[in-house]
Amino acid sequence: GDSELERRFQAKIDADEKIEPKDWMPEGYRKTLVRQISQHAHSEVVGMLPEGNWITRAPSLRRKAALLAKIQDEAGHGLYLYSACETLNVSRQELVDQLLEGKAKYSSIFNYPSTTWADIGAIGWLVDGAAIMNQVPLQRCSYGPYSRAMIRICKEESFHQRQGYEIMLTLARGTAAQKRMAQDALNRWWWPSLMMFGPNDKDSPHSAQSMRWKIKRVSNDELRQKFVDVTVPQADFLGLTMPDPALRWNAGSGHYDFGEIDWEEFKQVLQGNGPCNRERMRDRNRAHERGRWVREAALAHAEKRRARAAA
Ligand code: 3HC
């Protein structure tokens, strides 16, 4: 019966074997993967919107080319992840419809506005920095298709983080007005970036099971702490001030102590009341409508090719 199947499944997980689409898996394992991978894919797609806002206003051709390349990468990350999700017997159409209808979650961070060019630097530096911290352990996820998608995505993410940090460095070393822009962006993106790692472990309903199934390899709080420890020295190098008066090095623990996250803000953003939630859904639906002709043309072309091949 199932208990024997469950036992054998868990033995494979414990032996660090990969679970592949054709393998038997508990329904809960499949469901939590569909939940996480689809939300991850939606995050990549919605994440293109705040950055797309600055393509026509990039300060130089080099910055414009780097931003275009990064956004194109994010679209590809979304497609790898939707494909990984389809191996779990959900259709791409179903996932896309859930997002368009506002029924699907995506990372809270993308509900914040990108109001100046410095935001593009802060997004690359902090948001992609946090995403890398979160995605590197996911390369060791027990589900084969997700793990392989992560390995490929992680290869491209380091360029995203580096181009963002270079923008911040240029601004921090620029005029007083440019340095103020960089500081303003850090002030607005720091705390929402910490929220990307999810609730505190004690308030995380999925963590325990996700760790038993080796989907989550490192806890929310541990990854968040690693991100803080790596990022504070980078802010120091930029000559920028972290917007957290409680932040200080703790020689005893070997980590930075930092202030309390505003979990009420986090909850509001997840409930759809963030600064840009409605705007993101409107823009996503508009883009989907405007792209309809491309999908129809691609389907018509595929149909003609099939008919020719069959003739
Ligand atoms: N934004 C939105 N929802 C969040 C969230 C956030 N920052 N953090 C947690 N949540 C949600 C969870 O999805 C869950 O809700 P659900 O049951 O409706 O799915 C609930 O809050 C409880 O959180 P848990 O910690 O119990 O849930 P998880 O075990 O799933 O952990 C996670 C949350 C760490 C985000 C995990 O889902 C994960 O690692 N996801 C994959 C990676 C990812 O999505 N990273 C952020 C995307 S940014 C990105 O990749 C784009 C980059 O290229 C710029």
Side-chain angles (χ1 to χ4, degrees), residues 4-247:
E4 176 50 24
L5 284 166
E6 298 248 3
R7 199 194 53 71
R8 243 184 285 142
F9 170 84
Q10 193 59 48
K12 281 174 76 173
I13 298 278
D14 296 345
D16 276 333
E17 285 178 36
K18 287 281 181 271
I19 305 298
E20 296 299 337
K22 295 266 179 293
D23 294 343
W24 184 88
M25 60 183 83
E27 181 53 18
Y29 180 80
R30 193 192 69 81
K31 275 178 70 172
T32 206
L33 281 169
V34 170
R35 171 188 67 82
Q36 176 164 332
I37 301 172
S38 62
Q39 287 170 179
H40 198 161
H42 296 328
S43 302
E44 303 285 358
V45 170
V46 176
M48 292 191 279
L49 293 169
E51 296 184 309
N53 185 25
W54 283 92
I55 293 177
T56 58
R57 296 179 284 170
S60 72
L61 180 60
R62 180 167 171 274
R63 292 288 189 222
K64 185 192 286 259
L67 181 56
L68 276 167
K70 176 177 188 308
I71 293 171
Q72 190 176 356
D73 282 351
E74 308 296 9
H77 295 176
L79 298 182
Y80 303 156
L81 288 163
Y82 283 127
S83 299
C85 209
E86 283 173 307
T87 66
L88 291 160
N89 303 325
V90 288
S91 80
R92 172 85 56 105
Q93 193 57 51
E94 194 182 335
L95 298 175
V96 170
D97 290 347
Q98 282 166 5
L99 179 64
L100 295 172
E101 288 155 20
K103 289 193 193 115
K105 273 204 175 76
Y106 54 87
S107 189
S108 50
I109 191 71
F110 297 123
N111 289 307
Y112 289 84
S114 52
T115 55
T116 76
W117 171 253
D119 287 32
I120 298 302
I123 288 171
W125 172 37
L126 299 174
V127 174
D128 286 79
I132 289 170
M133 210 54 92
N134 164 279
Q135 290 172 155
V136 163
L138 281 170
Q139 295 175 111
R140 290 182 294 114
C141 162
S142 58
Y143 187 56
Y146 194 26
S147 151
R148 291 187 290 271
M150 279 295 102
I151 291 167
R152 195 162 163 195
I153 285 174
C154 286
K155 285 187 173 51
E156 295 171 344
E157 287 287 8
S158 52
F159 141 68
H160 297 172
Q161 203 264 0
R162 211 185 329 282
Q163 63 87 38
Y165 192 69
E166 193 204 43
I167 290 173
M168 294 304 275
L169 201 53
T170 306
L171 293 171
R173 290 176 172 172
T175 64
Q178 285 176 315
K179 182 158 187 178
R180 273 197 306 277
M181 266 175 75
Q183 182 62 60
D184 163 60
L186 173 56
N187 294 345
R188 286 182 289 106
W189 287 92
W190 174 243
W191 290 100
S193 297
L194 296 188
M195 294 176 197
M196 285 173 70
F197 293 95
N200 288 129
D201 296 343
K202 62 181 176 30
D203 303 322
S204 160
H206 295 296
S207 286
Q209 183 58 59
S210 276
M211 293 187 97
R212 268 195 299 278
W213 279 334
K214 295 189 182 176
I215 294 170
K216 183 175 286 187
R217 303 308 305 264
V218 186
S219 84
N220 297 2
D221 287 331
E222 197 177 330
L223 280 180
R224 191 181 353 258
Q225 182 65 62
K226 253 180 94 180
F227 175 68
V228 172
D229 291 347
V230 161
T231 311
V232 172
Q234 293 171 347
D236 293 346
F237 186 77
L238 290 171
L240 299 180
T241 310
M242 279 297 182
D244 176 1
L247 184 75

